[in-house]
Amino acid sequence: MKVTILANYEPNAAKGLMQGSNREAAVRTLFESVGGKMSSLTFTRGMYDVVVNGEVPDQVAGMGMALAVRASGSVRDLVVLEELNMKAVIEAANKAAGVYKPAG
């Protein structure tokens, strides 16, 4: 499952960045710990400080990884976006639309 992670660093973590903390190596190791693979880590200017792209085996692995990062207290506004198979989503939506009866 492909994921995109958006986050903002808390002040103590920003201080660690300034002191030379290698976030690429740390995040790569984090992904590998759940059987995943980090594709890219980009620092950004704007709404989020960092954008990470990668793959994890499933939702459990992705959410476990996110929970561990949240529990560390080093980030806020952590958002995990999961890639969807829109063809499959549209097929399911069309099946549901064929039987759903709205109120009223």
Side-chain angles (χ1 to χ4, degrees):
M1 177 175 80
K2 291 183 180 180
V3 294
T4 297
I5 300 170
L6 311 170
N8 287 310
Y9 284 104
E10 289 290 359
N12 62 318
K15 187 175 182 179
L17 284 173
M18 292 172 61
Q19 294 171 345
S21 178
N22 185 340
R23 302 322 305 152
E24 187 168 341
V27 175
R28 186 174 311 284
T29 299
L30 175 68
F31 269 82
E32 291 170 356
S33 76
V34 298
K37 181 180 178 186
M38 184 189 80
S39 302
S40 66
L41 181 144
T42 306
F43 292 97
T44 58
R45 188 178 67 127
M47 186 175 265
Y48 293 99
D49 296 330
V50 65
V51 177
V52 180
N53 290 295
E55 293 186 38
V56 292
D58 52 32
Q59 281 184 328
V60 171
M63 291 299 99
M65 191 172 64
L67 183 59
V69 171
R70 280 189 178 104
S72 76
S74 63
V75 299
R76 61 182 156 76
D77 305 323
L78 181 70
V79 177
V80 179
L81 304 170
E82 300 172 4
E83 182 179 71
L84 294 174
N85 175 341
M86 275 312 286
K87 183 178 178 182
V89 170
I90 290 169
E91 287 175 12
N94 284 325
K95 286 179 187 178
V99 299
Y100 178 69
K101 305 249 186 280

